[in-house]
Amino acid sequence: MLEAFYRLGDNPFRMTPDGRNTFHSHAYLHGKTYLRQALREGRGIAVVTGRPGTGKTTLVRDLFFDNDSHQVISNVVTSHLEAEDLLRMMAAGLGLDEDELDPDRLFRQLQKALVRRSKRREREVVLVLDEAQHLTAGAIELISWLVGARQGGAFAFQAVLIGQEPLMELIGSREGRLLRDCLNAVYHLDPLTEQETPAYIHHRLRSVGWEGDPEWEEALFPLIYQHSEGIPRRVNLIGGRLLLHGALEEKHRLDAGDGWLVISELLEESLLDPPRRKGGGSGMVYA
């Protein structure tokens, strides 16, 4: 409905990730450059953390888009994934027989395949694990063993772990000791800044053909930032509801009153939480 009323090609605030309208904030570009360099140097394990909805998964997908030097053999959302299941997913990604009944034998085959590819200087093999804060002890051990299979002093295998802040607690725990030994790059993706939030909204609108209808009152942007905390997923939630509200009310100018109305509804529906902090920027840690 809102697309037809405002003559837009699509809903600019869809909640599903879409690489076509990615907004390159300072933190996003900083992280992409940093992680690309870490992968180019063949370093073992890279970690990307951040609050839910900040764009961690989009960042990593963008990192490997049209990248001929790396082969992502598995892109897994971990939900307490056991080591054997992860082993078979990785084997399938390399074209091995994942139906091999003996996990130990399959592990040896996978390890040999990784070392063989490294000797031939083929494309770097990368495992991407999302929601990695849920990694089991067995999966941690498997990743660490495989990353540790070096050839000529270089890692034969790389992993990118994506997760929320508890991932760093896991890495710092006794169970995460093996990961720490292979860890090189850690990047924390911060939300949009207050200055970037209006630019993000306009970027999303223009990506679907917006030409000023509806007009967004300037007072809306600090309000949206305050209640989204600069988290893109929350900005999309508020922005999408605002457009729907405007279309239903046949409004061609959205003001702060519309913003308060929509945000109050979202808070009442428990789709938004009360703001907890201010801030923005980017941060990285070398391990």
Side-chain angles (χ1 to χ4, degrees):
M1 176 183 180
L2 64 89
E3 296 93 334
F5 183 77
Y6 291 122
R7 298 182 181 180
L8 303 176
D10 198 356
N11 181 352
F13 299 110
R14 287 194 181 278
M15 301 297 286
T16 53
D18 186 346
R20 296 173 301 173
N21 55 14
T22 300
F23 178 75
H24 293 155
S25 68
H26 174 75
Y28 187 95
L29 287 174
H30 201 180
K32 186 177 177 181
T33 301
Y34 172 57
L35 293 167
R36 182 187 287 127
Q37 183 63 30
L39 289 168
R40 185 179 293 130
E41 294 178 5
R43 301 174 175 183
I45 295 176
V47 172
V48 182
T49 63
R51 295 174 63 184
T54 48
K56 303 181 297 296
T57 303
T58 301
L59 170 61
V60 174
R61 286 179 181 173
D62 193 12
L63 189 65
F64 291 110
F65 179 74
D66 198 26
N67 185 342
D68 293 332
S69 62
H70 291 79
Q71 177 190 0
V72 179
I73 58 170
S74 289
N75 196 331
V76 182
V77 178
T78 62
S79 180
H80 305 286
L81 194 68
E82 294 299 332
E84 185 174 336
D85 295 324
L86 179 58
L87 175 65
R88 296 189 185 282
M89 288 180 181
M90 294 172 64
L94 279 177
L96 302 178
D97 181 12
E98 72 272 23
D99 294 327
E100 165 65 53
L101 295 179
D102 183 359
D104 291 335
R105 182 177 174 183
L106 184 58
F107 171 79
R108 290 192 295 271
Q109 290 176 353
L110 181 59
Q111 194 174 40
K112 288 178 182 178
L114 291 170
V115 172
R116 185 166 57 248
R117 290 173 66 96
S118 179
K119 285 181 179 179
R120 294 175 181 172
R121 298 181 180 273
E122 296 180 15
R123 294 167 67 194
E124 296 284 349
V125 175
V126 180
L127 170 70
V128 176
L129 288 173
D130 210 341
E131 300 296 337
Q133 69 273 8
H134 297 310
L135 280 171
T136 62
I140 290 173
E141 191 172 22
L142 172 64
I143 295 166
S144 304
W145 279 343
L146 289 171
V147 170
R150 302 193 187 198
Q151 176 60 36
F155 289 108
F157 166 77
Q158 293 174 278
V160 178
L161 309 184
I162 311 169
Q164 299 173 32
E165 286 96 332
L167 174 57
M168 292 311 300
E169 298 175 12
L170 173 62
I171 290 172
S173 68
R174 181 177 180 182
E175 292 79 6
R177 176 182 54 82
L178 292 172
L179 288 179
R180 291 199 300 277
D181 292 340
C182 305
L183 190 65
N184 182 80
V186 177
Y187 189 80
H188 182 80
L189 181 60
D190 279 320
L192 303 167
T193 65
E194 186 169 3
Q195 293 71 33
E196 288 171 331
T197 300
Y200 173 86
I201 291 170
H202 286 129
H203 172 81
R204 299 285 296 211
L205 287 165
R206 293 190 186 103
S207 72
V208 295
W210 175 74
E211 295 181 348
D213 184 20
E215 179 185 353
W216 293 59
E217 186 184 75
E218 284 298 318
L220 268 173
F221 299 122
L223 183 62
I224 293 173
Y225 175 74
Q226 178 188 357
H227 288 273
S228 68
E229 301 179 89
I231 296 174
R233 185 183 297 164
R234 295 185 185 180
V235 176
N236 290 347
L237 179 63
I238 298 170
R241 184 67 71 90
L242 263 169
L243 283 183
L244 180 59
H245 163 76
L248 289 171
E249 298 296 326
E250 299 185 351
K251 300 190 69 168
H252 295 281
R253 187 173 191 272
L254 301 174
D255 56 31
D258 299 308
W260 279 115
L261 178 64
V262 163
I263 289 168
S264 297
E265 290 176 352
L266 292 171
L267 288 168
E268 187 175 343
E269 295 167 15
S270 298
L271 294 177
L272 276 182
D273 296 322
R276 71 173 186 175
R277 68 174 178 87
K278 298 179 180 179
S282 63
M284 61 174 68
V285 178
Y286 293 88

